[in-house]
Amino acid sequence: MKVSSAVLVVVCALSAALAAGCEEDACDPGFEREGGACVDSRLRLVGTWTVSETCSASGTSNYAVEIALDPAVPDGLLISSFWNLFLTPVRASLSVDAITVDRQEPDADSYFVQGTGVVEDEPGSLSFDYRVTDETDETAILTDRCQSTWTAQ
């Protein structure tokens, strides 16, 4: 009877160890688990998005943007048609569910942009708060503050 109990304890211990060893490893930063594999978390944002925004100076508008991966930066994104006026893609970075647009002058024309976005809990939805400054005349800088909702197409 003691032998059977000992065998049972060893079998249970081994089963528990094997089960623990079968847990999936954590993904590297910037990656998330999808279907058993680690994939670049930026991929969920790649594609065309419909933007609905209200800005302090330029008013209300609806337009489309395109998000692509920035091959030069591991957490980078390139957003085409940002503010519906920039010709050059705006560079952004993704950290978990936060998108950051650091201050930049995409078209080299004295118009600067910076802001933040959030990947919403609802799939295919982003919110963005950003500002564009017209610094053509450094003594009279004009600012357009925008709040927008982006929906994946």
Side-chain angles (χ1 to χ4, degrees):
M1 189 72 159
K2 286 185 180 181
V3 173
S4 296
S5 296
V7 170
L8 181 60
V9 169
V10 170
V11 168
C12 287
L14 286 174
S15 296
L18 288 174
C22 292
E23 290 180 21
E24 294 180 311
D25 293 329
C27 296
D28 290 336
F31 288 79
E32 58 193 14
R33 190 156 298 283
E34 187 176 293
C38 291
V39 296
D40 189 328
S41 58
R42 299 174 300 163
L43 291 174
R44 64 190 160 137
L45 303 178
V46 171
T48 304
W49 295 76
T50 301
V51 177
S52 176
E53 72 185 7
T54 302
C55 299
S56 61
S58 59
T60 302
S61 62
N62 296 296
Y63 58 93
V65 297
E66 187 77 27
I67 298 179
L69 298 180
D70 185 345
V73 185
D75 63 351
L77 299 167
L78 297 171
I79 306 172
S80 298
S81 300
F82 202 96
W83 195 47
N84 203 26
L85 288 174
F86 286 115
L87 302 175
T88 304
V90 168
R91 293 185 178 280
S93 61
L94 176 67
S95 177
V96 186
D97 286 336
I99 302 169
T100 303
V101 174
D102 290 328
R103 180 177 156 80
Q104 59 195 278
E105 183 186 16
D107 294 336
D109 61 357
S110 297
Y111 280 81
F112 291 81
V113 62
Q114 67 184 58
T116 57
V118 176
V119 179
E120 299 292 345
D121 290 335
E122 180 181 331
S125 181
L126 306 175
S127 62
F128 249 103
D129 291 330
Y130 66 95
R131 71 176 186 213
V132 175
T133 53
D134 174 358
E135 300 182 22
T136 307
D137 179 354
E138 292 182 11
T139 62
I141 295 174
L142 303 173
T143 301
D144 195 10
R145 296 182 194 287
C146 301
Q147 292 182 320
S148 59
T149 301
W150 300 21
T151 306
Q153 292 186 0

